[in-house]
């Protein structure tokens, strides 16, 4: 078995694609017909993708169901950055809204900040504490 990617199933493909490329600054590896996109998360690694949920639902027998909303986060995407505070400032200047401000989490061994993508997927940006 070989790992391919974590794929988020989204309703508004273009809004999410633009968030990950223009907002977070990830390099797109694929942008296919408004339904599938993948992003480079490290040199030579496409570890994150998005796919239109309305296309996936029939394939797994869930076309009659809706996506849950109003629940606690079930998953999180975590990115290590060189400097959380500088990244927070740069992304805030681009208009991205954060849930909190950069905070040291000694028990976790990192400084973190959190935000949501356009469909409320939780994202953590962190820098290891020295």
């Amino acid at each position: 078995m070989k790992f391919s990617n974590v794929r988020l199933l989204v309703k508004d493909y273009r809004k999410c694609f633009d968030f990950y490329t223009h907002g977070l600054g990830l390099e797109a590896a694929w942008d296919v017909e408004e339904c599938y996109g993948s992003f480079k998360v490290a040199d030579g690694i496409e570890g994150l993708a998005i796919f239109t949920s309305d296309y996936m639902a029939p394939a797994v027998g869930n076309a009659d169901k809706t996506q849950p909303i109003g629940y606690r986060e079930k998953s999180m995407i975590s990115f290590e950055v060189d400097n959380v505070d500088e990244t927070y400032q740069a992304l805030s200047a681009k208009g991205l809204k954060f849930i909190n401000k950069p905070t040291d989490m000694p028990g976790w061994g990192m400084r973190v900040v959190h935000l949501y993508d356009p469909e409320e997927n939780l994202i953590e940006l962190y820098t290891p504490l020295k």
Side-chain angles (χ1 to χ4, degrees):
M1 187 178 310
K2 180 181 168 188
F3 176 78
S4 175
N5 60 50
V6 171
R7 188 172 308 161
L8 302 175
L9 302 176
V10 300
K11 293 295 276 177
D12 190 333
Y13 172 84
R14 183 52 48 196
K15 189 173 188 179
C16 289
F17 185 87
D18 290 346
F19 171 84
Y20 284 101
T21 54
H22 302 301
L24 287 184
L26 296 181
E27 181 182 347
W30 292 92
D31 182 9
V32 181
E33 300 178 11
E34 297 295 311
C35 70
Y36 176 82
S38 67
F39 311 95
K40 295 182 181 179
V41 295
D43 289 337
I45 299 173
E46 298 170 31
L48 177 64
I50 60 174
F51 187 69
T52 302
S53 63
D54 288 343
Y55 296 141
M56 179 57 72
V60 295
N62 286 332
D64 61 332
K65 296 180 181 175
T66 60
Q67 287 182 314
I69 56 171
Y71 293 93
R72 180 182 284 176
E73 294 80 6
K74 187 175 176 183
S75 61
M76 179 180 71
I77 303 167
S78 183
F79 294 100
E80 182 176 345
V81 296
D82 291 333
N83 184 302
V84 165
D85 295 275
E86 290 175 4
T87 302
Y88 170 79
Q89 292 298 327
L91 295 178
S92 292
K94 291 171 77 172
L96 271 63
K97 304 292 183 211
F98 285 81
I99 300 166
N100 51 19
K101 295 186 188 289
T103 305
D104 284 349
M105 299 298 285
W108 299 358
M110 53 187 160
R111 185 163 176 79
V112 301
V113 69
H114 299 94
L115 69 156
Y116 290 114
D117 77 3
E119 298 203 1
E120 297 188 1
N121 293 299
L122 183 61
I123 298 171
E124 177 179 79
L125 306 177
Y126 78 93
T127 302
L129 291 172
K130 298 190 186 307

